[in-house]
Amino acid sequence: MGVLGLACASTWSIQRVAIFVVLGLVLNLGVVCNGGKTSAFVRQINRSLDMPLNSDVFKVPPGYNAPQQVHITQGDRHGKAVIVSWVTVDEPGSSTVLYWSTNGKQKKAEGKVKTYKFYNYTSGYIHHTTIKKLKFNTKYYYVVGVDHSERQFWFMTPPEVGPDVPYTFGLIGDLGQTFDSNKTLTHYELNPLKGETILFVGDLSYADDYPNHDNVRWDTWGRFTERSAAYQPWIWTAGNHEIDFAPEIGETKPFKPYTHRYHVPHKASGSTAPFWYSIKRASSYIIVLASYSAYGKYTPQYVWLEQELSKVNRSETPWLIVLMHSPWYNSYNYHYMEGESMRVMFEQWFVQYKVDVVFSGHVHAYERSERISNVAYNITNGNCIPVKDQSAPVYITIGDGGNLEGLATSMTEPQPEYSAYREASFGHAIFDIKNRSHAYFSWHRNQDGYAVQADSMVFLNRYFHPLDDSTSA
């Protein structure tokens, strides 16, 4: 039937055309449920496999006592310091870092070295050195391995903290060290949006999935991620796979490998433990929370967060970002409601202080919520359903890095109204801050081209431009 013929078609013919169009949209764009969209993208759902120990990404650098597993993170509150960490294996060697800017004078910083034992494993010599008093928005070169096999790297310091400073963050979680993990990191590295710092939402090496929590897999993970983490800061969040609590083999100190290997500037924000802390970077104020440390009333984390939120100056850092491992809003049948008790404790503060976005991991899939809250319930009133709330954050689960436990593919049905988009695929995300009022978020699945965005959203800042930025009708 021609297009003009539709004008005189029977009612049944029109209905058939309408059904065909609707089915076409569903098959091509995803499954539209009670909530937002559940992607219809078909991906491999087999269990991911860790790369073998002789993989090139795990290669030990040549030379006697050559530094390996080099990584950096922010070393202070404002971005003028960097913590440089690395491992040597033959002997302790020097903890000196030589550094300089283009046409600048070479300087040096001294650090400390430590080791640890875990069951039948003894670590290499782990070095941590903080470079201080750096200039903003400057490229620095640095050398580790002084007096033995020197290796040179570089990094860029962020722009000075301010309300209209553009900055681009990458987001990765639950990475592991599988072939899919390698695809995720490669995809991020080649993304034309060019993230400048990674916000990592927990679960690093997955060494605890091996017999006796094989800490060799901490070493391989450090060598695998060095290609990125030595050149741009990774902001660390502790996940459940960092706990490494194994009383059956005599290991009763939680987080032992993680805290020895990965340092954060927690003391700069008044935190008493490295699992919760905050930093300022460009136009953002980033708060890292600990899903697996006590957060009940009167606990150190509770007291710290209550004070910390009141310190945020949105005129200086408009973008208030929170990182945690266990999601509060999750419509998958994996780790369902594990974050509920923390949500009950803290969500009202997030609404009160107008947090822009919360990034979490743990669930091995991707999901983005609407701006919603569930803070009205008082046990007796029955108001226990999440509602749209323009003072609330968007909650994004990005636990899809590619680890050996595979994808979370079972979802609750029907899709909740608060869920804007969900998909069980591996990938990474970008949060691109434009100015004080606008930021652009995009999620990139591994199977697509480097520039393809499987999901995206324009964020309107909750302090400076608090209009409705929902992506659903």
Side-chain angles (χ1 to χ4, degrees):
M1 180 183 295
V3 175
L4 294 176
L6 288 174
C8 57
S10 67
T11 301
W12 169 236
S13 297
I14 295 174
Q15 288 174 338
R16 281 187 297 175
V17 171
I19 292 171
F20 176 79
V21 171
V22 170
L23 286 174
L25 288 172
V26 169
L27 290 172
N28 282 282
L29 297 178
V31 180
V32 180
C33 306
N34 287 16
K37 186 169 74 173
T38 297
S39 172
F41 179 81
V42 179
R43 83 291 301 155
Q44 180 181 350
I45 59 173
N46 295 336
R47 186 180 179 90
S48 303
L49 297 175
D50 269 352
M51 295 176 284
L53 293 175
N54 62 356
S55 299
D56 59 349
V57 297
F58 299 148
K59 186 178 180 180
V60 176
Y64 177 77
N65 214 34
Q68 58 173 272
Q69 307 174 49
V70 181
H71 57 273
I72 63 174
T73 193
Q74 184 162 316
D76 65 355
R77 284 277 277 172
H78 299 90
K80 296 186 70 175
V82 168
I83 301 172
V84 182
S85 305
W86 71 96
V87 175
T88 54
V89 296
D90 298 309
E91 61 175 279
S94 172
S95 293
T96 300
V97 175
L98 304 177
Y99 65 99
W100 64 94
S101 60
T102 304
N103 300 322
K105 182 180 178 181
Q106 186 181 90
K107 300 178 182 180
K108 67 178 181 179
E110 302 292 342
K112 296 181 179 180
V113 61
K114 61 175 69 177
T115 63
Y116 74 91
K117 292 184 178 181
F118 192 97
Y119 188 53
N120 60 357
Y121 168 91
T122 300
S123 74
Y125 302 96
I126 304 169
H127 303 255
H128 299 286
T129 300
T130 302
I131 306 173
K132 301 177 181 179
K133 298 181 180 180
L134 300 171
K135 295 179 180 179
F136 286 119
N137 206 27
T138 301
K139 185 174 185 178
Y140 283 91
Y141 301 89
Y142 69 99
V143 168
V144 291
V146 175
D147 297 333
H148 286 132
S149 301
E150 295 185 351
R151 298 183 67 201
Q152 180 177 315
F153 305 89
W154 59 266
F155 61 83
M156 282 289 300
T157 53
E160 186 173 358
V161 172
D164 286 305
V165 179
Y167 201 77
T168 306
F169 292 102
L171 287 138
I172 296 177
D174 301 69
L175 184 59
Q177 45 196 302
T178 69
F179 292 98
D180 287 306
S181 310
N182 194 33
K183 290 178 182 177
T184 297
L185 189 53
T186 301
H187 214 227
Y188 168 72
E189 292 168 319
L190 296 177
N191 191 320
L193 295 177
K194 296 300 177 188
E196 300 167 89
T197 291
I198 286 183
L199 305 179
F200 193 88
V201 294
D203 282 2
L204 285 67
S205 71
Y206 285 79
D208 63 335
D209 274 347
Y210 282 81
N212 301 319
H213 295 229
D214 185 3
N215 274 224
V216 169
R217 281 294 180 174
W218 275 104
D219 292 316
T220 54
W221 195 83
R223 293 196 291 271
F224 160 52
T225 55
E226 180 188 270
R227 72 194 205 215
S228 172
Y231 296 94
Q232 63 175 245
W234 286 36
I235 308 304
W236 302 109
T237 309
N240 57 298
H241 285 279
E242 281 69 74
I243 299 174
D244 280 306
F245 177 71
E248 69 278 7
I249 56 174
E251 292 296 341
T252 57
K253 183 179 181 180
F255 300 102
K256 185 196 285 186
Y258 172 73
T259 54
H260 277 80
R261 293 171 181 271
Y262 294 92
H263 280 195
V264 298
H266 66 284
K267 293 181 181 179
S269 59
S271 171
T272 56
F275 311 115
W276 60 89
Y277 62 99
S278 70
I279 61 170
K280 300 176 185 180
R281 199 164 183 90
S283 50
S284 65
Y285 199 108
I286 299 165
I287 293 177
V288 178
L289 295 181
S291 297
Y292 305 102
S293 299
Y295 46 76
K297 194 168 185 178
Y298 314 119
T299 62
Q301 183 173 198
Y302 180 100
V303 171
W304 176 85
L305 181 61
E306 184 177 30
Q307 297 173 348
E308 186 68 16
L309 285 167
S310 66
K311 296 176 184 177
V312 180
N313 179 0
R314 302 297 280 272
S315 296
E316 178 191 45
T317 50
W319 293 96
L320 182 52
I321 300 169
V322 176
L323 311 180
M324 64 180 70
H325 186 63
S326 186
W328 293 356
Y329 289 95
N330 162 35
S331 69
Y332 290 82
N333 290 317
Y334 299 79
H335 305 303
Y336 186 63
M337 291 187 72
E338 284 186 19
E340 182 65 6
S341 57
M342 186 184 234
R343 183 196 66 78
V344 171
M345 295 304 301
F346 293 155
E347 185 180 21
Q348 189 164 355
W349 292 348
F350 284 18
V351 175
Q352 176 185 347
Y353 289 99
K354 299 182 185 298
V355 171
D356 290 291
V357 61
V358 177
F359 294 108
S360 59
H362 201 36
V363 178
H364 301 163
Y366 169 73
E367 185 167 22
R368 173 175 57 83
S369 80
E370 301 290 356
R371 293 195 182 277
I372 40 96
S373 68
N374 187 3
V375 296
Y377 182 55
N378 68 358
I379 299 180
T380 61
N381 63 12
N383 296 329
C384 55
I385 298 175
V387 296
K388 288 192 175 184
D389 186 342
Q390 291 304 310
S391 293
V394 171
Y395 293 88
I396 295 177
T397 300
I398 189 76
D400 54 355
N403 66 81
L404 80 168
E405 294 178 353
L407 288 165
T409 55
S410 176
M411 306 174 186
T412 61
E413 299 294 349
Q415 184 174 4
E417 290 186 8
Y418 67 75
S419 176
Y421 186 98
R422 59 184 184 177
E423 179 175 322
S425 292
F426 292 131
H428 73 277
I430 296 289
F431 191 72
D432 187 11
I433 297 173
K434 303 297 186 182
N435 51 40
R436 72 180 65 193
S437 61
H438 289 73
Y440 186 74
F441 171 82
S442 55
W443 175 67
H444 306 258
R445 67 167 77 91
N446 286 354
Q447 287 82 357
D448 292 334
Y450 301 122
V452 176
Q453 302 169 15
D455 182 43
S456 63
M457 173 181 171
V458 175
F459 274 76
L460 303 181
N461 185 267
R462 293 301 89 190
Y463 183 83
F464 279 106
H465 200 52
L467 302 180
D468 188 346
D469 53 8
S470 172
T471 58
S472 64

